[in-house]
């Protein structure tokens, strides 16, 4: 991934986390242009990887759709996850998604113990933003994704 791609991914993750915290929503005008831009960069730099990554985006929607229907995720959360795919590639994307849910679970436990209110929710864009930063930092140090496909 290029430095510009990393910058776009970080801006998208930060803007999504900020809007999720302040309004409870992740806006389409943040994630959809980032998704389109990610595939634009991909087509220019590595067109051979487009089919696999497009499949990963479609699978993201299909796998997370039941969580949205059950009320566990917002539609913006799903679009945020999908928009990460072209920037991270499949291995780092799966690592980042797993870390996001793990961090969200830890946040949920902390919120439950501190506030004793199970109706409080975790704004998933915050754990996603943290996991994106962690994954990019690990990549900068030359560490390979623990998930290799």
């Amino acid at each position: 991934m290029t430095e510009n791609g990393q910058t776009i991914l970080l801006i998208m993750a930060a803007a999504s986390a900020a809007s999720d915290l302040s309004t409870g929503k992740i806006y389409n005008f943040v994630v959809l242009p980032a998704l389109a831009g990610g595939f634009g960069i991909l087509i220019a730099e590595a067109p051979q990887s487009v089919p696999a990554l497009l499949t990963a985006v479609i699978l993201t929607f299909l796998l997370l759709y039941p969580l949205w229907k059950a009320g566990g995720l917002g539609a913006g959360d799903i679009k945020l996850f999908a928009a990460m795919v072209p920037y991270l590639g499949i291995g780092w994307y799966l690592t980042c998604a797993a870390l996001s849910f793990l961090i969200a679970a830890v946040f949920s436990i902390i919120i439950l113990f501190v506030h004793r209110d199970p109706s409080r929710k975790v704004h998933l864009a915050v754990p996603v933003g943290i996991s994106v930063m962690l994954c990019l930092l690990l990549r900068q140090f030359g560490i390979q994704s623990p998930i290799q496909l």
Side-chain angles (χ1 to χ4, degrees):
M1 174 188 345
T2 65
E3 194 171 306
N4 289 337
Q6 289 179 9
T7 304
I8 292 168
L9 179 60
L10 285 170
I11 290 170
M12 178 193 64
S16 297
S19 71
D20 199 12
L21 280 174
S22 64
T23 66
K25 296 180 182 211
I26 300 170
Y27 292 104
N28 287 340
F29 69 81
V30 173
V31 292
L32 295 181
L35 177 62
F39 274 101
I41 292 170
L42 206 58
I43 289 168
E45 294 179 357
Q48 71 282 0
S49 63
V50 171
L53 295 175
L54 191 56
T55 301
V57 168
I58 292 167
L59 285 173
T60 296
F61 282 108
L62 293 175
L63 292 172
L64 296 180
Y65 177 79
L67 292 174
W68 172 73
K69 277 305 259 186
L73 285 179
D77 296 323
I78 297 171
K79 290 179 265 189
L80 174 60
F81 275 110
M84 296 184 326
V85 172
Y87 296 100
L88 294 172
I90 294 174
W92 276 112
Y93 167 69
L94 292 172
T95 301
C96 191
L99 271 173
S100 297
F101 284 110
L102 181 64
I103 293 167
V106 170
F107 283 6
S108 295
I109 292 168
I110 292 168
I111 288 171
L112 187 60
F113 281 116
V114 171
H115 295 286
R116 307 247 185 245
D117 181 5
S119 66
R120 286 184 168 248
K121 67 178 187 174
V122 172
H123 295 278
L124 190 58
V126 175
V128 168
I130 293 168
S131 67
V132 163
M133 287 187 280
L134 285 172
C135 288
L136 289 178
L137 184 64
L138 292 171
R139 282 176 65 165
Q140 285 295 108
F141 286 122
I143 298 171
Q144 294 291 322
S145 168
I147 301 172
Q148 297 294 320
L149 297 177

